[in-house]
Amino acid sequence: MAARGCPLEAVPLPADVREGLAELELELSEGDITQKGYEKKRAKLLACHMPLTQVEPTFQAEARTPGPSQTSAAAPKLQKLRPTTSRDERFRSDVHTEAVQAALAKYKERRMPMPSKRRSVLVHPSADTCTPPGVPVSSRVSSRIQQLLNTLKRPKRPPLREFFMDDFEELLAVRQTDPNRPKPEGSQMVVLNGEPLAAEAPEPLSLLAALQRWGTTQPKAPCVTALDTAGKAVHILTYGKLWSRSLKLAYTLLNKLTSKNEPLLKPGDRVALVFPNSDPVMFMVAFYGCLLAELVPVPVEVPLTRKDAGSQQVGFLLGSCGIALALTTDACQKGLPKAQTGEVATFKGWPPLAWLVIDGKHLTKPPKDWHPSAQDAGAGTAYIEYKTSKEGSTVGVTVSHMSLLAQCQALTQACGYSEAETLTNVLDFKRDAGLWHGVLTSVLNRMHVISIPYALMKVNPLSWIQKVCLYKAQAALVKSRDMHWSLLAQRGQRDVSLSSLRMLIVADGANPWSISSCDAFLNVFQSRGLRPEVICPCASSPEALTVAIRRPPDLGGPPPRKAVLSMNGLSHGVIRVDTEEKLSVLTVQDVGQVMPGANVCVVKVEGTPYLCKTDEVGEICVNSIATGAAYYGLPGITKNIFETVPVTAEGVPVSDRSFTRTGLLGFIGPDDLVFVVGKLDGLMVVGVRRHNADDIVATALAVEPMKFVYRGRIAVFSVTVLHDDRIVLVAEQRPDASEEDSFHWMGRVLQAVDSIHQVGVYCLALVPANTLPKAPLGGIHISETKQRFLEGMLHPCNVLMCPHTCVTNLPKPRQKQPEVGPASMVVGHLVAGKRTAQASGRELAHLEESDQARKLLFLPDVLQWRAHATPDHPLFLLLNAKGSVTSTATCVQLHRRAERVAAALTEKGRLCVGDHVALVYPPGVDLIAAFYGCLYCGCVPVTVRPPHPQNLTTTLPTVKMIVEVSKSACVLTTQAIVRLLKSKEAVAAVDVRTWPTILDTDDTPKKKVASIFRPPSPDVLAYLDFSVSTTGVLAGVKMSHAATSALCRSLKLQCELYPSRQIAICLDPYCGLGFALWCLCSVYAGHQSVLVPPLELESNVSLWLSAVSQFKARVAFCSYSVMEMCTKGLGAQTGVLRMKGVNLSCVRTCMVVAEERPRIALTQSFSKLFKDLGLPARAVSTTFGCRVNMAICLQVRTRPENEVKGVSSDSLLQGTAGPDPTTVYVDMRALRHDRVRLVERGSPHSLPLTESGKILPGVKVIIAHTETRGPLGDSHLGEIWVNSPHNATGYYTVYGEEALHADHFSARLSFGDTQTIWARTGYLGFLRRTELTDASGERHDALYVVGSLDETLELRGMRYHPIDIEMSVTRAHRSIAECAVFTWANLLVVVVELAGLEQDALDLVALVTSVVLEEHHLVVGVVVIVDSGVIPINSRGEKQRMHLRDGFLADQLDPIYVAYNM
């Protein structure tokens, strides 16, 4: 039992439970129940008898679902280190550093592989430091049950659902609520009522009335003092000046601004206030001027650049508010970015604005009889305050005149403000508490505000304390950050005194970590006159304004309280007071009592707003006239936030008035004090538990922060990956921190967060100093940082990804059956009720054209006959890079050159019939002549790509290997290549002494061969076709004379090749269909081939298209690499090509020769791009062939009737008339389970597949099960098997893997038609009968190729095709030029070619990891960023992934960056 992960021995179980468990074990052993069902039933049985402290919830989930996180070497260590008693508490107190250090002490032995950058050596994690996380879990059942399963003779098959379940269902199945989680046990809370708002005094009745009163009766009284960066008072605004200037501005706005003889503004219009933080004087004038003019001020930040963080969203708000005018100062306007006309530039996202400077000289004095008619006591909007949401969007909160006055009165009553008091304000006066206290409430009470600009605080953090001391201020408004800065700068300042303060209002007291600053500040400054009861934390939100504030005892406030809370409880939304001395706890302070005139309750965060229980954390809601009214222009969201109706558990509304949601998470404590433990904006729900971003920041700061990163420059946010929040931590790295030190710090942060918060960090990134987007008044702009991270614009200098540990909701790995019987039952031509997946091309027997074709069985005979019958008929034209014809060959010329080669082989080489000859030629007519020369003398030619002169060390060994493996007795080549093969560089690469006889054919004498060899039998070997597969296997297949002739005949009939036809070929002529089209088909069919060597396109990309246009080729063949070069290189030059006369309207069919799944995106982009040059929309098609049969499918477009003169109507009927290729959409998730599920276009996880062409004449195709080798039904995925006269006759050799491929050419079905001999292609695909009909009137069978079986990746029990993962990765970022994936030690390795700057390289790590997780449910083990062109590609444009893997393991890639995901 213990083997299943639940230690139950210590718990005595009742007899009925033990009996139930025994029955379950028996059912599992007999296969009557699935493993998943067993675990569910077993958990149900044990639920009532499992003690709460037995197994921690997190690890129960891990025991249930063995995913990658369990397989890493670190995971077992982690589980041992975590105590079994639930120590899952969040920590936030003065002993935080001690807790972090204690947690890190456990991890001293754990090491992690460092990422490597280009200048360092590639580091592979050794087995003792980090076991690869992809190692499969051996089993989830005990050894006794496993033994029973292994000995069963006929294990029952699990239901289909076990083999293939919808991934989303599996994800949901993993995320189960833990039965042992703490649950709220208190009674339902009741609505908390604040003290009543004091009866209004007869005067003033409104804020503007107060301003008028003070401006006329106390004109000399100071209203606000502005300071410069040196701390000197540069401007003192009196109440008289404020009143007179506001009147001036109101008069100017209403009477002096016109547009087309109409007033520009009318009452109720919105106006933007753009003022710097250093100018409170002009801001107050503008604000009150707007109120007097019955306009609605919208204060926003000064945009310093056209791309300020968040500035675009502010612009959207201004646009939605219909703002056409912005008020500012002369100095501020001069500092704004200007357009070429000299006017203020239009900022990104901002509406067109008129700018009004409100300095005195620009305003008009109103007539003495003019009085503003402002009504400022009703429900009309007074001002709009902007708020930025968690996602970065900006909304405007409207505040009515009535709410404005009520807020000022409530603050006056709560804070005990009185006339002529002095308030020192460090906050931003444009919004939040800085506006409410420093601009509004202060005027109501004729207070004097000392405004401390942010720039002064940066220079002198003690300035606010000095001003409190200088002005004997009774109140101060600060943030905990300002208190912390003061502590760092206070040494040596002995003459300051804070005894005058009666209230030190901490505006961010709702932040759980403000308690540390408050306590530390009191410890230091208590000796300088600061009284403990003076510190007054408060809580506020843009929607509800001030929610609560602590009051000194003389104002009737209860004594302050602190709560030490269990973080495990908080993460589940439950309050548990922690009485023990633990390191890992959350200590919070109260934020005082509810505001006067307000009612407060706490409701559940999600769903219906039910009242929380007294020991439950929820969202604080406020009912008061002193709250915001709405989000401007957003009635839907407004209803959710501002019109919430809390209900009891029975669903009864608690009040007939609606409440406003504050966005604050908290609870009501003793003495009706409000406690806040976090904000909704900082909430991250990972799995089913909640974590607060500020808590993670504090833990990171406790890990020696000052050495490596800047204290105030850390951002924590969550991103959604795989249906769950993932935590991302970004920090600015100090310039003097070394890479190794920084990585060490990152590792320690991960370990500390994991130990203290019991949650994994998905990504930890370090960026260079001063590169994170800043908020207007310091700090990091979180939403902008998150946006940059998601867009790959963060440009980090160090990244550490940990998907293995924190992604625990991956679908369950697929478990295959150990023994698989016959896949289905065959009845006639049906397999399990479906038509057998079998199709064939037209019959060859009925398509012979003449007796002549029957006589000429062998290609040498055909060439001789053509040399005699049509000696001057041109067969080949070879073009160079300039498009000029460099060499040609007529029938007789080719025949004579072949004779000379045959004579040289016989006389010089002294070769016998059957000897193998390696032909090492560049693409051209020499290669063709040498090939036929070998056939003339009975030798067996082997075409070999010549070595590259600039890369001999890599390419020459391959040439040598093919020559040796093919047992060639002679090498035929040119003089230039002979010199290359014997050069000094060649000596360094291979042993040149072991070359066989080397003959150059440049100067062969004009001799005729005595007699041309005629094979005694059609089965005699004609040539060897050697190629290296994409998986790195070198193999040579044998092509007999019969197969060669059959291939040519089939291609001739399919493509309608006649002597009058001209085709263009841009393919490598060394293997496969490329060789057949280049060397064989022209001789057999008599058509003229225009040969374009693909290498020539490197110096002239337009060569291929120009050649097709010049020779008006109707049929053209090329590779995907040629198509890609044209698409990328000529994309912007279609106009130039048209000017040069390139016209592709002649093309009827352009076929892509490939041995892979059709690349739909590339063919479609090629068609669209060159449509302007006349390329028909349906011209591009695909082919499919492989080693065992180089031409299985090939699509030629239907032509108009009688298009070709001299062709009989019978031949036309026999042509390739048939339906266009069809495209289907399949579910990519089903493919991983070897299933085909057709879906609609645009469906989630849909993958488009187009058929690979029409099956060639004489070819039969069947789909067979990869393991049972039985036939499969229509639309079922299996291996494609082929039977054809032009099948290769077998392998000559498979270098290093002879045993693996022994049955590739002689496979038989295990049941059904067991007589037919098939060749296994090694490719997965399926056949589907369509509704279309072909030329014969039969319904068309479409063959869809999915991918190579050898290339598939077996991961988590499922089969993945590399191309699918690579397509996802390529879409992840614009800087990704190319991508390739492979596996290494059960890790998925992704190699990415970078097309941008090296500073973009590390952005790709997180994007690549996330996109593969999201779309394929795979964890990337290693991300390798390399330069463009590093991923090797063969001549057909296919990626050589195994060569890339070898280069990676041998450290030959010279990577820019290698990231090992933990």
Side-chain angles (χ1 to χ4, degrees):
M1 296 290 287
R4 296 195 185 281
C6 293
L8 297 170
E9 290 81 350
V11 185
L13 294 173
D16 57 334
V17 177
R18 289 201 299 271
E19 191 175 329
L21 285 173
E23 285 179 12
L24 275 179
E25 298 276 8
L26 188 62
E27 284 181 15
L28 182 65
S29 66
E30 292 178 355
D32 291 335
I33 189 172
T34 65
Q35 179 70 28
K36 187 172 181 181
Y38 165 85
E39 289 175 0
K40 279 186 178 176
K41 288 188 176 181
R42 183 170 172 279
K44 199 172 179 181
L45 275 172
L46 297 174
C48 303
H49 305 280
M50 196 175 294
L52 293 180
T53 56
Q54 198 73 43
V55 180
E56 196 172 354
T58 307
F59 293 119
Q60 281 189 346
E62 288 182 2
R64 280 197 304 272
T65 56
S69 59
Q70 274 193 321
T71 59
S72 67
K77 291 185 186 177
L78 246 72
Q79 294 183 22
K80 290 176 188 173
L81 294 171
R82 294 178 185 165
T84 52
T85 54
S86 183
R87 285 237 4 224
D88 189 24
E89 299 90 18
R90 233 173 359 174
F91 173 78
R92 186 70 74 193
S93 73
D94 291 335
V95 292
H96 204 154
T97 304
E98 184 185 345
V100 170
Q101 298 309 322
L104 291 176
K106 304 172 185 178
Y107 289 87
K108 280 187 177 177
E109 298 305 315
R110 181 178 172 187
R111 294 169 56 207
M112 292 184 289
M114 258 194 75
S116 62
K117 291 189 179 178
R118 168 160 284 159
R119 59 178 177 273
S120 60
V121 179
L122 191 71
V123 181
H124 298 309
S126 59
D128 59 336
T129 57
C130 179
T131 304
V135 179
V137 180
S138 58
S139 176
R140 290 192 294 160
V141 296
S142 69
S143 55
R144 186 168 62 85
I145 301 298
Q146 189 66 51
Q147 189 178 358
L148 281 170
L149 284 172
N150 292 339
T151 54
L152 286 173
K153 293 180 181 177
R154 295 174 61 187
K156 295 184 180 179
R157 292 186 64 194
L160 184 62
R161 199 171 173 80
E162 278 293 299
F163 280 108
F164 174 67
M165 182 193 284
D166 185 77
D167 286 334
F168 192 67
E169 291 178 29
E170 295 192 33
L171 290 167
L172 294 178
V174 171
R175 296 177 57 184
Q176 295 170 355
T177 308
D178 176 32
N180 292 331
R181 73 189 189 283
K183 298 171 186 172
E185 299 165 355
S187 59
Q188 184 174 281
M189 77 162 295
V190 293
V191 175
L192 179 61
N193 300 317
E195 65 189 74
L197 203 56
E200 294 181 8
E203 285 187 331
L205 290 174
S206 71
L207 193 59
L208 293 181
L211 174 60
Q212 184 176 5
R213 175 185 171 187
W214 305 130
T216 53
T217 63
Q218 302 279 348
K220 301 283 189 183
C223 174
V224 63
T225 297
L227 307 176
D228 62 10
T229 52
K232 292 173 66 177
V234 290
H235 202 150
I236 300 175
L237 179 71
T238 62
Y239 278 93
K241 289 283 187 186
L242 175 59
W243 172 245
S244 62
R245 290 183 185 179
S246 300
L247 276 178
K248 269 188 185 181
L249 177 59
Y251 178 76
T252 304
L253 290 172
L254 292 175
N255 299 284
K256 296 300 180 182
L257 301 180
T258 57
S259 174
K260 298 179 182 177
N261 297 323
E262 292 288 328
L264 182 66
L265 300 168
K266 58 183 183 296
D269 282 356
R270 277 73 54 200
V271 176
L273 271 53
V274 184
F275 292 87
N277 178 251
S278 57
D279 199 345
V281 170
M282 299 309 290
F283 175 79
M284 287 186 77
V285 170
F287 193 90
Y288 282 103
C290 287
L291 292 185
L292 285 167
E294 294 188 279
L295 300 173
V296 179
V298 184
V300 296
E301 306 300 336
V302 178
L304 299 178
T305 66
R306 298 187 69 170
K307 293 182 180 178
D308 265 9
S311 174
Q312 181 176 354
Q313 290 294 336
V314 171
F316 291 157
L317 171 65
L318 299 181
S320 66
C321 289
I323 293 175
L325 178 69
L327 306 184
T328 188
T329 63
D330 192 39
C332 182
Q333 193 207 31
K334 287 177 180 175
L336 291 173
K338 302 292 190 298
Q340 290 182 345
T341 57
E343 297 179 354
V344 176
T346 302
F347 300 100
K348 187 178 180 184
W350 284 43
L353 294 177
W355 292 81
L356 176 65
V357 174
I358 65 162
D359 295 61
K361 58 187 177 183
H362 299 281
L363 302 182
T364 305
K365 190 174 182 180
K368 289 186 178 179
D369 58 346
W370 184 82
H371 296 287
S373 57
Q375 301 294 322
D376 65 338
T381 301
Y383 74 96
I384 296 176
E385 180 173 318
Y386 80 87
K387 174 207 170 183
T388 302
S389 70
K390 182 180 181 180
E391 290 75 29
S393 58
T394 299
V395 293
V397 178
T398 62
V399 179
S400 67
H401 289 284
M402 185 168 57
S403 299
L404 180 61
L405 181 60
Q407 173 73 4
C408 293
Q409 291 169 341
L411 285 175
T412 301
Q413 183 174 331
C415 301
Y417 287 139
S418 58
E419 282 187 42
E421 279 194 319
T422 303
L423 168 71
T424 304
N425 178 25
V426 189
L427 305 189
D428 181 8
F429 49 75
K430 297 189 289 295
R431 58 200 297 260
D432 290 336
L435 174 67
W436 308 328
H437 288 263
V439 174
L440 305 176
T441 308
S442 62
V443 169
L444 187 72
N445 296 289
R446 193 175 67 80
M447 295 169 65
H448 180 198
V449 178
I450 314 298
S451 187
I452 313 287
Y454 177 63
L456 173 57
M457 283 296 292
K458 287 203 293 185
V459 175
N460 179 13
L462 267 174
S463 55
W464 71 272
I465 295 178
Q466 293 164 351
K467 298 307 171 191
V468 167
C469 182
L470 176 65
Y471 289 93
K472 300 289 187 289
Q474 288 81 23
L477 187 61
V478 298
K479 283 190 174 182
S480 53
R481 173 195 68 188
D482 307 318
M483 301 166 79
H484 177 76
W485 285 1
S486 306
L487 292 174
L488 298 177
Q490 56 85 25
R491 292 175 187 170
Q493 296 284 335
R494 304 192 181 279
D495 54 345
V496 294
S497 169
L498 299 178
S499 57
S500 64
L501 277 182
R502 64 174 185 80
M503 280 195 86
L504 176 57
I505 302 169
V506 185
D508 62 344
N511 190 323
W513 58 351
S514 65
I515 185 172
S516 302
S517 299
C518 292
D519 290 349
F521 189 79
L522 179 62
N523 288 338
V524 170
F525 286 97
Q526 193 167 3
S527 60
R528 302 179 192 180
L530 182 68
R531 301 187 303 280
E533 64 272 14
V534 166
I535 296 177
C536 299
C538 74
S540 61
S541 80
E543 293 85 359
L545 309 189
T546 307
V547 176
I549 188 166
R550 189 191 290 174
R551 301 166 209 183
D554 57 346
L555 292 176
R561 287 182 178 269
K562 294 181 182 178
V564 182
L565 305 176
S566 158
M567 280 188 69
N568 181 39
L570 284 177
S571 68
H572 290 284
V574 179
I575 301 153
R576 291 286 179 268
V577 176
D578 215 318
T579 54
E580 301 176 24
E581 283 295 322
K582 289 187 178 178
L583 294 175
S584 188
V585 288
L586 173 66
T587 306
V588 291
Q589 62 183 349
D590 71 273
V591 289
Q593 295 166 292
V594 179
M595 292 295 287
N599 303 316
V600 166
C601 65
V602 181
V603 301
K604 293 187 182 293
V605 175
E606 295 171 349
T608 307
Y610 289 109
L611 285 179
C612 288
K613 295 184 177 179
T614 52
D615 61 343
E616 190 174 2
V617 174
E619 184 176 6
I620 298 171
C621 294
V622 176
N623 163 248
S624 166
I625 57 170
T627 62
Y631 289 134
Y632 186 87
L634 300 169
I637 310 177
T638 292
K639 188 168 181 63
N640 293 338
I641 301 298
F642 294 90
E643 299 172 28
T644 296
V645 181
V647 294
T648 61
E650 295 76 28
V652 180
V654 299
S655 169
D656 55 353
R657 291 187 295 176
S658 59
F659 282 65
T660 298
R661 288 180 176 267
T662 63
L664 301 175
L665 301 175
F667 60 95
I668 308 299
D671 297 332
D672 291 341
L673 293 173
V674 179
F675 287 83
V676 177
V677 296
K679 295 182 180 178
L680 267 180
D681 280 355
L683 190 66
M684 301 177 292
V685 183
V686 181
V688 293
R689 295 172 56 204
R690 304 171 183 169
H691 301 275
N692 198 295
D694 291 331
D695 299 342
I696 308 290
V697 170
T699 301
L701 287 176
V703 186
E704 307 171 301
M706 310 306 284
K707 293 182 182 177
F708 310 115
V709 298
Y710 291 100
R711 182 180 179 86
R713 310 292 296 160
I714 296 180
V716 171
F717 52 87
S718 62
V719 294
T720 303
V721 180
L722 209 61
H723 311 291
D724 209 349
D725 278 2
R726 311 293 175 193
I727 296 174
V728 178
L729 192 152
V730 182
E732 286 189 356
Q733 178 179 307
R734 290 182 174 273
D736 53 344
S738 71
E739 214 169 285
E740 193 169 344
D741 288 343
S742 297
F743 184 76
H744 178 66
W745 179 81
M746 292 163 79
R748 288 170 67 81
V749 168
L750 294 177
Q751 293 157 3
V753 172
D754 183 88
S755 180
I756 289 175
H757 302 272
Q758 307 279 289
V759 67
V761 175
Y762 178 67
C763 176
L764 202 163
L766 296 183
V767 299
N770 294 316
T771 55
L772 286 180
K774 295 180 176 64
L777 294 181
I780 293 175
H781 200 293
I782 301 293
S783 58
E784 183 75 13
T785 303
K786 177 179 176 178
Q787 194 60 31
R788 289 189 188 180
F789 175 81
L790 292 173
E791 292 175 355
M793 301 291 289
L794 203 57
H795 306 325
C797 49
N798 264 313
V799 169
L800 192 56
M801 299 287 298
C802 304
H804 288 100
T805 52
C806 69
V807 179
T808 56
N809 65 331
L810 284 169
K812 186 175 67 175
R814 178 188 177 199
Q815 294 179 328
K816 293 185 178 179
Q817 290 300 95
E819 296 175 19
V820 183
S824 47
M825 182 178 67
V826 175
V827 180
H829 289 291
L830 298 179
V831 180
K834 285 202 171 188
R835 188 188 68 85
T836 307
Q838 186 170 356
S840 58
R842 293 169 295 158
E843 290 292 333
L844 272 175
H846 306 300
L847 299 174
E848 299 289 358
E849 307 145 39
S850 61
D851 292 339
Q852 187 66 40
R854 290 196 185 95
K855 292 176 186 173
L856 304 173
L857 284 176
F858 307 122
L859 276 177
D861 297 344
V862 177
L863 180 56
Q864 291 175 70
W865 172 71
R866 291 200 182 281
H868 177 72
T870 55
D872 298 323
H873 175 68
L875 288 178
F876 299 103
L877 281 102
L878 180 72
L879 302 185
N880 62 9
K882 295 178 181 178
S884 307
V885 177
T886 55
S887 61
T888 61
T890 61
C891 297
V892 71
Q893 286 172 341
L894 183 62
H895 168 65
R896 288 171 181 165
R897 290 177 70 172
E899 281 190 319
R900 290 205 294 271
V901 171
L905 285 171
T906 309
E907 296 174 11
K908 282 189 183 178
R910 303 187 183 281
L911 298 186
C912 306
V913 171
D915 283 348
H916 297 179
V917 179
L919 310 182
V920 187
Y921 286 92
V925 179
D926 286 344
L927 173 67
I928 303 168
F931 175 81
Y932 285 100
C934 291
L935 297 187
Y936 274 16
C937 66
C939 293
V940 178
V942 183
T943 51
V944 185
R945 181 194 313 278
H948 199 286
Q950 274 77 47
N951 196 10
L952 269 184
T953 53
T954 308
T955 55
L956 190 59
T958 307
V959 175
K960 188 75 160 49
M961 186 185 295
I962 294 175
V963 169
E964 289 175 354
V965 169
S966 65
K967 299 177 182 173
S968 295
C970 175
V971 175
L972 278 185
T973 185
T974 63
Q975 284 181 358
I977 294 175
V978 169
R979 287 195 292 272
L980 206 59
L981 297 181
K982 297 181 178 180
S983 64
K984 290 181 180 178
E985 293 83 359
V987 172
V990 297
D991 184 2
V992 296
R993 294 170 297 177
T994 57
W995 285 114
T997 307
I998 300 178
L999 297 178
D1000 77 78
T1001 54
D1002 287 351
D1003 298 318
T1004 47
K1006 293 184 180 180
K1007 286 187 178 181
K1008 286 188 179 181
V1009 68
S1011 64
I1012 293 176
F1013 174 77
R1014 183 176 175 81
S1017 158
D1019 297 328
V1020 169
L1021 186 61
Y1023 70 95
L1024 292 179
D1025 189 300
F1026 267 87
S1027 63
V1028 180
S1029 73
T1030 52
T1031 54
V1033 177
L1034 171 67
V1037 294
K1038 297 182 283 187
M1039 288 293 288
S1040 66
H1041 282 276
T1044 306
S1045 299
L1047 172 65
C1048 294
R1049 189 184 318 127
S1050 195
L1051 287 170
K1052 175 184 177 181
L1053 293 167
Q1054 188 81 338
C1055 300
E1056 297 175 336
L1057 301 175
Y1058 307 102
S1060 60
R1061 180 65 50 82
Q1062 211 171 27
I1063 70 169
I1065 302 171
C1066 188
L1067 295 167
D1068 260 4
Y1070 299 107
C1071 60
L1073 188 55
F1075 166 76
L1077 290 166
W1078 188 285
C1079 293
L1080 309 179
C1081 289
S1082 278
V1083 169
Y1084 186 89
H1087 59 273
Q1088 186 181 21
S1089 293
V1090 179
L1091 308 177
V1092 181
L1095 274 176
E1096 303 289 2
L1097 268 67
E1098 292 181 7
S1099 51
N1100 179 8
V1101 187
S1102 62
L1103 172 64
W1104 164 237
L1105 299 181
S1106 302
V1108 171
S1109 169
Q1110 178 186 345
F1111 292 95
K1112 293 184 172 50
R1114 293 185 180 181
V1115 178
F1117 293 90
C1118 68
S1119 63
Y1120 278 123
S1121 58
V1122 170
M1123 196 168 272
E1124 199 162 23
M1125 286 172 75
C1126 292
T1127 306
K1128 289 180 178 177
L1130 302 174
Q1133 298 181 29
T1134 50
V1136 177
L1137 292 175
R1138 200 185 306 111
M1139 294 284 288
K1140 291 182 178 179
V1142 175
N1143 184 356
L1144 302 180
S1145 59
C1146 57
V1147 178
R1148 193 178 81 203
T1149 303
C1150 176
M1151 283 174 274
V1152 189
V1153 173
E1155 296 184 9
E1156 59 179 299
R1157 179 199 302 174
R1159 300 189 201 174
I1160 299 178
L1162 180 58
T1163 54
Q1164 286 179 346
S1165 61
F1166 183 85
S1167 298
K1168 288 177 185 174
L1169 199 57
F1170 299 111
K1171 181 177 68 175
D1172 294 345
L1173 297 181
L1175 183 70
R1178 295 159 50 237
V1180 178
S1181 66
T1182 57
T1183 70
F1184 173 64
C1186 60
R1187 270 198 184 125
V1188 299
N1189 186 318
M1190 58 188 68
I1192 298 172
C1193 298
L1194 191 145
Q1195 185 80 30
V1196 179
R1197 298 296 180 188
T1198 309
R1199 62 180 179 180
E1201 284 189 23
N1202 302 322
E1203 189 181 78
V1204 183
K1205 294 179 181 178
V1207 179
S1208 68
S1209 58
D1210 289 339
S1211 295
L1212 279 172
L1213 289 173
Q1214 297 166 357
T1216 58
D1220 286 333
T1222 56
T1223 299
V1224 295
Y1225 293 84
V1226 299
D1227 191 328
M1228 200 186 301
R1229 298 167 302 176
L1231 280 183
R1232 299 171 196 157
H1233 297 263
D1234 289 342
R1235 291 167 55 85
V1236 175
R1237 187 166 77 182
L1238 299 180
V1239 294
E1240 293 297 319
R1241 180 180 182 179
S1243 300
H1245 308 284
S1246 62
L1247 173 72
L1249 293 176
T1250 192
E1251 70 172 286
S1252 295
K1254 191 178 177 185
I1255 297 173
L1256 263 70
V1259 176
K1260 294 178 185 175
V1261 168
I1262 196 166
I1263 306 297
H1265 195 284
T1266 52
E1267 294 173 10
T1268 67
R1269 301 195 181 187
L1272 291 175
D1274 191 86
S1275 297
H1276 278 61
L1277 189 69
E1279 186 179 5
I1280 300 168
W1281 288 13
V1282 61
N1283 170 276
S1284 161
H1286 63 259
N1287 276 3
T1289 52
Y1291 283 117
Y1292 179 74
T1293 179
V1294 184
Y1295 189 68
E1297 298 194 17
E1298 289 82 354
L1300 272 175
H1301 303 80
D1303 65 339
H1304 271 200
F1305 294 89
S1306 56
R1308 297 177 192 265
L1309 294 172
S1310 58
F1311 56 93
D1313 175 11
T1314 57
Q1315 299 305 311
T1316 306
I1317 294 177
W1318 302 87
R1320 298 174 57 188
T1321 64
Y1323 282 81
L1324 286 173
F1326 62 95
L1327 276 165
R1328 179 172 174 266
R1329 175 153 285 184
T1330 66
E1331 298 299 321
L1332 308 170
T1333 54
D1334 54 25
S1336 62
E1338 297 289 331
R1339 282 175 63 185
H1340 174 60
D1341 291 313
L1343 176 64
Y1344 299 91
V1345 177
V1346 175
S1348 168
L1349 203 54
D1350 289 343
E1351 282 205 332
T1352 55
L1353 310 174
E1354 290 278 346
L1355 293 165
R1356 308 186 72 249
M1358 290 172 278
R1359 197 192 303 275
Y1360 288 85
H1361 295 273
I1363 183 68
D1364 296 330
I1365 302 174
E1366 289 160 1
M1367 286 294 289
S1368 298
V1369 171
T1370 308
R1371 289 195 306 268
H1373 195 271
R1374 63 179 180 278
S1375 294
I1376 298 177
E1378 191 54 89
C1379 163
V1381 301
F1382 54 84
T1383 53
W1384 165 59
N1386 288 315
L1387 287 175
L1388 178 64
V1389 181
V1390 178
V1391 180
V1392 171
E1393 285 186 359
L1394 179 70
L1397 303 171
E1398 283 199 12
Q1399 69 170 16
D1400 299 342
L1402 273 71
D1403 283 314
L1404 305 182
V1405 177
L1407 294 177
V1408 166
T1409 305
S1410 296
V1411 76
V1412 175
L1413 258 175
E1414 278 281 4
E1415 297 187 14
H1416 303 280
H1417 300 169
L1418 288 176
V1419 178
V1420 176
V1422 187
V1423 180
V1424 187
I1425 316 288
V1426 297
D1427 295 311
S1428 291
V1430 168
I1431 296 174
I1433 292 176
N1434 66 15
S1435 59
R1436 296 186 296 274
E1438 298 162 344
K1439 297 168 191 169
Q1440 302 289 93
R1441 296 181 183 90
M1442 287 306 105
H1443 287 320
L1444 181 68
R1445 183 181 187 274
D1446 294 342
F1448 168 72
L1449 296 178
D1451 190 16
Q1452 295 170 349
L1453 300 184
D1454 186 25
I1456 298 169
Y1457 192 81
V1458 181
Y1460 298 95
N1461 290 345
M1462 295 297 100

